[in-house]
Amino acid sequence: MQRPLRPWLTPIIEPILCRNKLLTNALAALHHRRQNAQIPRLRLSLALSHTCKNILFIMFDQLRFDYLSCAGHPHLHTPNIDRLAQKGVRFSRCYVQSPICGASRMSFYTGRYASSHGAQWNGFPLKVGEMTIGDHLRKLGMQSWLVGKTHMKADIEGMERLGISRDSVIGARVSECGFDIFARDDGLWAQGPDGFYDERRSPYNEYLKSKGYPGENPWHDFANSGIDEDGDIASGWFMKHAHKSANIAEEDSETPWLTREVIRFIESQNGDEPWLCHASYIKPHWPYIVPAPYHDMYGANHVPAPTRSKAELRHPHPVYEQFANNLVGKAFHREEVRAAVIPVYMGLVKQCDDQMGVLFDYLERSGRMEDTMIVITSDHGDYLGDHWLGEKGMLHDASAKVPMIIYDPSPEADAARGTVCDELVESIDLAATFVDFAGGDVPDHIIEGRSLTPFLHGKQTPGWRDYAIAEYDYSATPMCANLGLRPRDARLFMVADKSWKFIHAEGAGPDGPFRPMLFDLENDPGELADLGASDRHTEIIDLMYERLGKWGRRLSQRTTRSEAQIIAGRSASRRKGIVLGAYDESEVDAELSVKYRGKAPLRPN
Amino acid sequence: MQRPLRPWLTPIIEPILCRNKLLTNALAALHHRRQNAQIPRLRLSLALSHTCKNILFIMFDQLRFDYLSCAGHPHLHTPNIDRLAQKGVRFSRCYVQSPICGASRMSFYTGRYASSHGAQWNGFPLKVGEMTIGDHLRKLGMQSWLVGKTHMKADIEGMERLGISRDSVIGARVSECGFDIFARDDGLWAQGPDGFYDERRSPYNEYLKSKGYPGENPWHDFANSGIDEDGDIASGWFMKHAHKSANIAEEDSETPWLTREVIRFIESQNGDEPWLCHASYIKPHWPYIVPAPYHDMYGANHVPAPTRSKAELRHPHPVYEQFANNLVGKAFHREEVRAAVIPVYMGLVKQCDDQMGVLFDYLERSGRMEDTMIVITSDHGDYLGDHWLGEKGMLHDASAKVPMIIYDPSPEADAARGTVCDELVESIDLAATFVDFAGGDVPDHIIEGRSLTPFLHGKQTPGWRDYAIAEYDYSATPMCANLGLRPRDARLFMVADKSWKFIHAEGAGPDGPFRPMLFDLENDPGELADLGASDRHTEIIDLMYERLGKWGRRLSQRTTRSEAQIIAGRSASRRKGIVLGAYDESEVDAELSVKYRGKAPLRPN
């Protein structure tokens, strides 16, 4: 697969390479490595295929920011993920743009806030026309592939309106938020009286069937169920079964299967073109159940005390109160639920970490560790009973903050390896980072995030953001109806800096517009005391509203003209005859009015 | 062209008609008319083609709200436009969404704020995917045609990305903001050393050439130029020539030509399908010049005193100061410029009004006045020296307020004929009104305006808006550079209620963020005293920022799911197996877990 570069080609090819930041960076990296490692000069000419730099964009689903040993978990050891953090940078304040799978992912994939791309909940289609990392990277010569979950719903109506066929290459990409599909499996093969929640084909279910697992939905019957005392299915949907071993060979469960798919993808690449691979795992997302040996690796003594206080339920914010009293919230009020779920959640994370070990070993063996950026993150967290809540949705750290570890193989990143960055990072920054890594200029009239490269290279970042924004649209939930809100008003907005977290709730209750929520992150890092009704905090609340106002006025839809294009176009119209504000000819450079002078022509009779 | 309805078809067709609000309304109107006019019952069955209701959406370019006699102009008599106001409703507080041709029109055509559709200045393409009135009306069986100007720039890059060919029907409509083209002529055939400002074909120039007008650009040389004392071209681009008669037969000038094109369009329709025709005139937009007899119909004694005060130039807001000192602003400081331009501007408006007379006479003769909604409006105003400004752009009434007259032929509108509505209306309301008139439900997750039908029918409108919003993006102007702003910060936002007008300027000067501007419309209707720096107005300024904040958080991009769809979808996932929050089976309706029960199947060996 490696083709030698003919020496006589060098003077022709080098100028081309030099215009391409991606290749130039790669050549610099090679040169650097050669000097350090005393690789003979000869080898450089063999290495053109190595100038490919790839991106392995790993996402777990519902992985809390603090369930990793590198993030300080006291019992859960994740040495493989920690190993990546040691080789890269771990961001300790990374917020997702919306703590719900679909909306969060569409923000990751577009680099845009949920209110900008509009796919604000699971199953709300990403509207045709929104640009994705796939669109940006393909322009730079990098392909963009999916292995796993996206939660993308295609905007079929929009595609039909624009005459875009799903069967065309373009239509397939539009339907899949910009990815080419190696394997798409959203990993939620729930099934009820009205049929499957997700009606696509499931490569994972097909895999299980090919291995001899019987039935229509082995995802449920084996990977996500155990067996009870009577030999009946003990479905993982019911949390009391969480501690049971899933009725499946560990290697056939979802996480190892996906790892093998990712490796199979990487092996399918011949090195001609750089790629981004979105390796997108469904776990540790519910159903909470895992096969042996992970099912009983952790026990009651490993379950941390919940981050919650009785005071939270006294005078609660009306929106918070709804969430604390919904089905999942109430379930997690019960200690038996936490005791059943959390050890298994830890087992699921442990399995993920072990699979990272498998994957990283492969990358090292294959040489890909040297030319591939690796990211580990998640689409949102999991309350697990903190704040009397389950699942995700509200905007406490347990839900809105995620792990974010980035390993950049470039020698420029050597300075920052193993560091922890405490700056405020948003999930939309990843799209900008990828474009930057692929050698492009970040189109900041489209992508709202900012490249994290300076942090990866240990550089100063003057003017970095002072606050992060997240949103949650709960119009599709019963909480919206319970509060008597119109769907358009069922929205929360978070503004967080390093000291304070502020949450504005749109809409109103019987007593008028909802008050905001406010947490003092310095003195109350557990976010236990909501100061939103406090008279002593009007100043910080005003500041947060000012920031939210500025964010609301952000430029998010002027995506067809870049700042540079606008500046360049400024004087064009004058040179095309738009001569404004002139009383007589003497006020205008004669050249500009060249078409407006001369003998008056004769009118026809 | 009218086909009789066979009597035996009636029982088949009537139930179909009854499901269609458009046809039902039309039948009701016919029935009403029949009763009033004693038209024999027999005729009803002949009248199916009359059930078509059409929309004639007339737009002038740069027509001030107050240069009409029905709006109180002391010297300019516009009896034909007044006639329409007598038959319909005149809205006295209609604001455009942005006082610049392109951005304003894209708001009219999409029913969305400029920050929502993103085409925030002339020549910024409307991004592919934005829905237009054409898209909405076609769904309702109404075609949407253009005769005249749109200032639309196609998003060629977006179309290429999505594989949409301009040669396809869909591509042609996407390129033309949803219209089918009867004649497109943007009417600005400016030409300079770098070529034409607008490189499309000009049907108007082609018309002039076909009539024997010589040269490459008779639009300039004849329609927009006079002849000076030496027999040279006296170009209308130079305002000292404004008073000269344009060197063209009046009937060949732009306004009468467009009227004839509109009539030709209407005659081309066979009555089978209802249509919207956007009759979009370029005048009274500059170049300020008009053929006889309009060129000297008004004189110095008809020029109103400028609405301006020396105080405006003391301690001016930095952004306002830039506009007052730009080329056009400075030109209009000169009395000779106002004296030259304003009588001719009045002549241009008078010609427009006379052409409305021609058009309305035709509509009455042809019967179309009885089945056609007629709108007269403009895309923005013209300062004409008020506030030491020329052109448009800033957000005083002279620039941001426009005429808005709507005639609804329905009998339901009889109650409101000849009334003036003082409520706050936005140009985006027109798209909603059209959808409503065409029998559709306004898709309020896409169209941000609200239907004006209640006002047209003399009904109460509880909960009507308390404030109107307009924006101006001046990133493409030298004023942005002069202020040292990044293009993304060169934006103004207006919030106006009936008492106050507030303008926020994004960005900052050397002394920090710009202060807002504020005008007391009750006590200072001329907007002469900017109270934005006043300590005594912090309360109203806070309220205006609160309103702007709420507007900034508006739901503008969740366009793929309606409120009704969201409500309807709420419980769907539970019936498709998403069983959240259950500890054991007893907590869930047995029907929901039907797929999660039974004997555990055997694993393969």
Side-chain angles (χ1 to χ4, degrees):
Chain A
M1 291 188 316
Q2 292 182 9
R3 288 183 301 270
L5 184 64
R6 314 263 165 145
W8 56 267
L9 270 173
T10 309
I12 300 165
I13 285 178
E14 275 205 343
I16 299 168
L17 297 182
C18 289
R19 281 211 299 272
N20 184 310
K21 193 173 155 196
L22 173 69
L23 294 177
T24 315
N25 287 352
L27 281 179
L30 274 171
H31 187 65
H32 173 95
R33 204 176 308 139
R34 185 182 63 79
Q35 286 184 316
N36 286 354
Q38 308 297 320
I39 300 167
R41 186 176 187 84
L42 194 77
R43 294 270 307 271
L44 240 186
S45 65
L46 298 171
L48 189 60
S49 68
H50 275 183
T51 59
C52 297
K53 276 195 183 183
N54 313 305
I55 298 170
L56 181 56
F57 168 23
I58 302 167
M59 184 177 281
F60 294 105
D61 196 315
Q62 200 143 330
L63 175 60
R64 275 176 70 122
F65 75 99
D66 54 355
Y67 270 58
L68 298 173
S69 40
C70 57
H73 197 283
H75 304 298
L76 180 56
H77 294 286
T78 50
N80 295 296
I81 294 175
D82 293 5
R83 170 158 52 126
L84 195 78
Q86 271 309 314
K87 294 163 73 101
V89 176
R90 185 170 71 81
F91 295 87
S92 66
R93 280 194 181 94
C94 179
Y95 288 102
V96 289
Q97 265 40 74
S98 183
I100 176 86
C101 300
S104 175
R105 287 160 183 270
M106 297 310 124
S107 283
F108 270 104
Y109 306 150
T110 60
R112 292 159 59 74
Y113 292 103
S115 281
S116 302
H117 62 63
Q120 284 158 272
W121 218 67
N122 292 338
F124 293 7
L126 182 70
K127 60 172 176 283
V128 64
E130 280 293 312
M131 286 184 77
T132 59
I133 46 179
D135 294 311
H136 297 296
L137 295 180
R138 269 189 292 276
K139 275 195 200 170
L140 301 166
M142 182 181 277
Q143 298 304 307
S144 190
W145 288 89
L146 171 69
V147 185
K149 168 171 177 167
T150 60
H151 224 122
M152 167 71 180
K153 176 128 181 164
D155 175 12
I156 301 297
E157 200 179 321
M159 290 174 69
E160 281 175 2
R161 193 172 68 242
L162 295 175
I164 303 169
S165 161
R166 294 190 79 167
D167 295 334
S168 65
V169 172
I170 287 172
R173 287 172 176 162
V174 168
S175 306
E176 297 287 1
C177 49
F179 292 109
D180 289 315
I181 303 302
F182 187 80
R184 173 165 175 188
D185 196 301
D186 277 8
L188 261 188
W189 306 103
Q191 199 181 2
D194 290 353
F196 274 99
Y197 169 70
D198 185 342
E199 282 165 5
R200 348 185 115 242
R201 66 179 266 273
S202 162
Y204 177 63
N205 254 340
E206 284 171 15
Y207 163 77
L208 292 181
K209 290 174 191 174
S210 78
K211 294 273 287 189
Y213 288 88
E216 189 183 18
N217 189 9
W219 172 86
H220 172 263
D221 297 348
F222 295 95
N224 286 280
S225 291
I227 306 181
D228 75 7
E229 306 71 37
D230 303 323
D232 286 341
I233 289 177
S235 171
W237 286 105
F238 302 103
M239 295 184 281
K240 77 168 183 190
H241 301 310
H243 70 283
K244 293 195 164 72
S245 168
N247 184 22
I248 194 166
E250 193 271 331
E251 80 246 24
D252 289 336
S253 64
E254 294 148 283
T255 303
W257 170 77
L258 197 86
T259 301
R260 289 194 301 275
E261 287 294 295
V262 172
I263 292 172
R264 201 162 66 82
F265 165 78
I266 297 173
E267 300 218 304
S268 76
Q269 297 299 295
N270 60 13
D272 281 351
E273 278 183 316
W275 46 260
L276 173 142
C277 173
H278 182 36
S280 187
Y281 291 85
I282 180 63
K283 292 299 178 186
H285 193 283
W286 42 256
Y288 302 111
I289 191 163
V290 67
Y294 298 102
H295 72 298
D296 62 359
M297 216 172 252
Y298 303 95
N301 52 330
H302 301 117
V303 175
T307 301
R308 67 191 183 195
S309 127
K310 288 256 165 69
E312 290 180 280
L313 301 178
R314 285 194 291 271
H315 314 298
H317 189 285
V319 179
Y320 164 72
E321 185 178 28
Q322 280 296 324
F323 279 82
N325 286 302
N326 70 11
L327 271 174
V328 195
K330 277 196 289 200
F332 276 92
H333 291 198
R334 293 150 67 181
E335 208 39 55
E336 63 188 341
V337 169
R338 293 187 77 248
V341 165
I342 292 179
V344 177
Y345 182 81
M346 292 169 69
L348 285 163
V349 177
K350 183 69 181 172
Q351 187 188 29
C352 291
D353 186 72
D354 283 346
Q355 287 300 313
M356 291 299 96
V358 171
L359 186 56
F360 297 160
D361 286 351
Y362 165 75
L363 294 173
E364 272 162 14
R365 272 199 321 275
S366 63
R368 292 290 75 75
M369 192 60 94
E370 290 171 37
D371 59 14
T372 303
M373 169 177 272
I374 304 173
V375 173
I376 287 184
T377 189
S378 179
D379 57 350
H380 52 75
D382 190 328
Y383 275 109
L384 296 172
D386 288 354
H387 307 290
W388 312 95
L389 296 165
E391 269 264 90
K392 56 261 181 178
M394 293 290 292
L395 293 152
H396 301 88
D397 279 1
S399 167
K401 206 157 129 177
V402 291
M404 176 61 78
I405 296 166
I406 308 181
Y407 158 73
D408 177 347
S410 320
E412 293 88 341
D414 290 349
R417 299 198 192 285
T419 58
V420 176
C421 174
D422 296 325
E423 292 299 320
L424 291 155
V425 164
E426 298 182 333
S427 62
I428 55 177
D429 294 339
L430 221 39
T433 307
F434 293 163
V435 169
D436 198 5
F437 183 75
D441 293 321
V442 179
D444 64 2
H445 58 303
I446 304 170
I447 291 180
E448 299 185 283
R450 296 169 63 174
S451 172
L452 300 171
T453 308
F455 300 116
L456 302 179
H457 293 182
K459 297 225 176 95
Q460 296 297 308
T461 52
W464 191 252
R465 69 169 65 88
D466 295 325
Y467 48 92
I469 303 279
E471 305 170 72
Y472 184 56
D473 176 334
Y474 59 99
S475 59
T477 76
M479 289 75 90
C480 171
N482 295 347
L483 288 160
L485 299 176
R486 300 180 305 170
R488 60 180 58 241
D489 288 334
R491 291 179 297 141
L492 300 171
F493 297 86
M494 178 198 87
V495 184
D497 61 22
K498 292 180 182 174
S499 304
W500 299 93
K501 183 184 286 182
F502 160 93
I503 298 160
H504 165 75
E506 207 62 41
D511 307 325
F514 293 130
R515 67 165 174 85
M517 292 165 249
L518 182 72
F519 299 103
D520 178 344
L521 300 180
E522 281 179 21
N523 298 303
D524 173 27
E527 306 173 274
L528 294 170
D530 176 1
L531 305 169
S534 150
D535 287 342
R536 288 174 300 111
H537 293 87
T538 51
E539 205 168 314
I540 184 70
I541 287 172
D542 285 351
L543 173 66
M544 291 302 203
Y545 268 117
E546 199 179 305
R547 289 169 167 178
L548 184 58
K550 190 168 178 65
W551 177 82
R553 300 187 304 268
R554 79 198 176 281
L555 194 65
S556 68
Q557 304 301 324
R558 197 176 74 188
T559 54
T560 58
R561 275 291 173 272
S562 70
E563 304 271 292
Q565 285 174 315
I566 290 170
I567 292 169
R570 266 178 199 155
S571 53
S573 67
R574 269 182 88 73
R575 291 192 54 85
K576 292 186 170 177
I578 302 285
V579 182
L580 278 179
Y583 183 70
D584 72 32
E585 288 84 344
S586 67
E587 296 167 25
V588 170
D589 180 346
E591 190 197 1
L592 298 181
S593 63
V594 62
K595 297 290 186 181
Y596 302 150
R597 287 181 271 125
K599 270 284 162 235
L602 283 181
R603 275 158 67 164
N605 293 321
Chain B
M1 291 189 315
Q2 293 182 9
R3 287 183 300 273
L5 182 63
R6 314 263 165 146
W8 56 266
L9 270 173
T10 308
I12 300 166
I13 284 178
E14 273 204 345
I16 300 169
L17 298 181
C18 287
R19 281 211 299 273
N20 184 308
K21 192 173 155 197
L22 172 69
L23 294 177
T24 314
N25 287 351
L27 281 179
L30 274 170
H31 187 65
H32 173 96
R33 203 177 308 138
R34 186 181 64 77
Q35 287 185 314
N36 287 353
Q38 310 296 320
I39 299 169
R41 186 176 186 84
L42 194 78
R43 293 271 307 270
L44 242 187
S45 64
L46 297 170
L48 188 62
S49 69
H50 275 184
T51 60
C52 298
K53 274 196 183 183
N54 313 303
I55 298 170
L56 181 57
F57 168 23
I58 301 166
M59 185 177 280
F60 294 104
D61 196 315
Q62 200 144 330
L63 174 60
R64 276 176 70 123
F65 74 98
D66 54 356
Y67 270 59
L68 298 174
S69 40
C70 57
H73 198 284
H75 304 298
L76 180 56
H77 294 286
T78 51
N80 296 296
I81 294 175
D82 294 4
R83 169 158 53 126
L84 196 76
Q86 271 308 314
K87 294 162 71 101
V89 176
R90 185 171 70 81
F91 294 88
S92 66
R93 279 194 181 93
C94 179
Y95 288 102
V96 290
Q97 265 41 73
S98 183
I100 176 86
C101 301
S104 175
R105 288 160 182 271
M106 296 311 122
S107 284
F108 271 105
Y109 306 151
T110 60
R112 291 160 58 74
Y113 292 103
S115 280
S116 302
H117 63 62
Q120 284 158 274
W121 218 67
N122 292 338
F124 293 6
L126 182 70
K127 61 173 176 284
V128 65
E130 280 292 314
M131 286 185 76
T132 59
I133 46 178
D135 294 311
H136 298 296
L137 294 181
R138 268 189 293 275
K139 275 195 201 171
L140 300 167
M142 182 181 275
Q143 299 302 308
S144 189
W145 288 88
L146 171 70
V147 185
K149 168 171 177 167
T150 61
H151 223 120
M152 167 71 180
K153 177 128 179 161
D155 176 12
I156 300 297
E157 202 180 320
M159 290 175 68
E160 281 174 3
R161 193 172 68 243
L162 295 176
I164 303 169
S165 161
R166 294 190 80 167
D167 295 334
S168 64
V169 172
I170 288 172
R173 286 172 176 162
V174 168
S175 306
E176 297 286 2
C177 50
F179 291 109
D180 289 315
I181 304 302
F182 187 81
R184 173 165 176 188
D185 195 302
D186 277 9
L188 262 188
W189 305 103
Q191 199 181 2
D194 290 353
F196 275 99
Y197 168 70
D198 184 342
E199 282 165 5
R200 350 185 115 242
R201 64 180 268 273
S202 162
Y204 177 63
N205 254 339
E206 284 170 16
Y207 163 78
L208 292 181
K209 288 173 191 173
S210 77
K211 294 273 287 191
Y213 289 88
E216 188 183 18
N217 189 10
W219 171 87
H220 172 263
D221 297 348
F222 295 95
N224 286 280
S225 291
I227 306 180
D228 75 8
E229 308 69 39
D230 303 323
D232 286 341
I233 289 177
S235 171
W237 286 106
F238 302 103
M239 295 185 281
K240 76 169 182 189
H241 300 311
H243 69 283
K244 293 194 163 73
S245 168
N247 184 23
I248 194 166
E250 194 270 333
E251 80 242 26
D252 289 336
S253 64
E254 294 147 284
T255 303
W257 170 76
L258 197 86
T259 301
R260 290 194 301 275
E261 287 294 295
V262 172
I263 292 172
R264 199 163 67 82
F265 164 78
I266 297 174
E267 301 218 304
S268 76
Q269 297 298 296
N270 60 15
D272 281 350
E273 277 184 315
W275 44 261
L276 174 142
C277 172
H278 182 36
S280 186
Y281 290 85
I282 179 65
K283 292 299 177 186
H285 193 284
W286 42 254
Y288 302 110
I289 191 163
V290 66
Y294 299 101
H295 72 299
D296 62 0
M297 218 172 251
Y298 304 94
N301 52 330
H302 301 117
V303 175
T307 302
R308 67 193 184 196
S309 128
K310 288 257 165 68
E312 290 181 280
L313 300 178
R314 286 194 291 271
H315 316 297
H317 190 286
V319 179
Y320 165 71
E321 185 177 29
Q322 280 296 325
F323 279 83
N325 286 303
N326 70 10
L327 272 173
V328 194
K330 276 195 290 200
F332 276 92
H333 292 198
R334 292 151 67 181
E335 208 40 55
E336 63 189 338
V337 169
R338 293 186 78 250
V341 164
I342 291 178
V344 176
Y345 181 81
M346 292 169 69
L348 285 164
V349 177
K350 183 69 181 172
Q351 187 187 28
C352 291
D353 185 72
D354 283 347
Q355 287 301 313
M356 290 300 96
V358 171
L359 185 55
F360 298 159
D361 287 350
Y362 166 76
L363 294 173
E364 274 163 12
R365 272 199 320 275
S366 63
R368 290 292 75 74
M369 191 61 93
E370 290 170 38
D371 60 13
T372 303
M373 168 177 271
I374 304 173
V375 174
I376 288 184
T377 189
S378 178
D379 56 351
H380 52 75
D382 190 328
Y383 275 109
L384 297 172
D386 288 353
H387 307 289
W388 310 96
L389 296 165
E391 270 262 270
K392 57 260 181 179
M394 293 291 292
L395 292 152
H396 301 88
D397 279 1
S399 168
K401 205 157 130 177
V402 291
M404 176 62 78
I405 296 166
I406 308 181
Y407 157 72
D408 177 348
S410 319
E412 292 88 341
D414 289 349
R417 300 197 191 285
T419 60
V420 176
C421 173
D422 295 327
E423 291 301 318
L424 290 156
V425 163
E426 298 182 333
S427 63
I428 54 177
D429 295 338
L430 221 39
T433 307
F434 293 162
V435 170
D436 198 6
F437 183 75
D441 292 321
V442 179
D444 65 2
H445 58 304
I446 304 170
I447 292 180
E448 300 186 283
R450 297 169 62 175
S451 171
L452 300 171
T453 307
F455 300 117
L456 302 179
H457 293 182
K459 297 225 176 93
Q460 296 298 308
T461 53
W464 191 253
R465 69 170 65 87
D466 294 325
Y467 48 93
I469 303 280
E471 305 170 72
Y472 184 56
D473 175 335
Y474 58 99
S475 59
T477 76
M479 288 74 89
C480 171
N482 295 348
L483 288 161
L485 298 177
R486 301 179 305 170
R488 60 180 57 240
D489 289 334
R491 290 179 297 140
L492 300 172
F493 298 86
M494 177 197 88
V495 184
D497 60 23
K498 292 180 182 174
S499 304
W500 299 95
K501 183 183 285 182
F502 160 94
I503 298 161
H504 166 75
E506 207 63 39
D511 307 325
F514 294 130
R515 67 165 174 86
M517 294 166 248
L518 182 72
F519 300 102
D520 178 344
L521 300 181
E522 280 180 21
N523 299 303
D524 173 27
E527 306 173 275
L528 294 169
D530 176 1
L531 305 169
S534 150
D535 288 341
R536 289 176 297 113
H537 293 86
T538 52
E539 204 168 314
I540 183 71
I541 287 172
D542 286 351
L543 173 65
M544 291 303 204
Y545 268 117
E546 199 180 305
R547 289 168 167 179
L548 184 59
K550 189 168 179 66
W551 176 81
R553 300 187 304 269
R554 78 196 176 282
L555 193 65
S556 68
Q557 304 301 324
R558 198 176 73 187
T559 54
T560 58
R561 275 292 173 270
S562 70
E563 305 271 291
Q565 284 173 316
I566 290 170
I567 291 169
R570 266 180 199 154
S571 53
S573 67
R574 269 181 88 73
R575 291 192 52 86
K576 291 185 170 177
I578 301 285
V579 182
L580 278 180
Y583 183 70
D584 71 31
E585 288 84 343
S586 68
E587 297 167 23
V588 170
D589 181 345
E591 189 196 3
L592 299 180
S593 63
V594 63
K595 297 290 187 182
Y596 301 150
R597 286 180 271 124
K599 269 284 162 237
L602 283 181
R603 274 158 68 164
N605 294 323

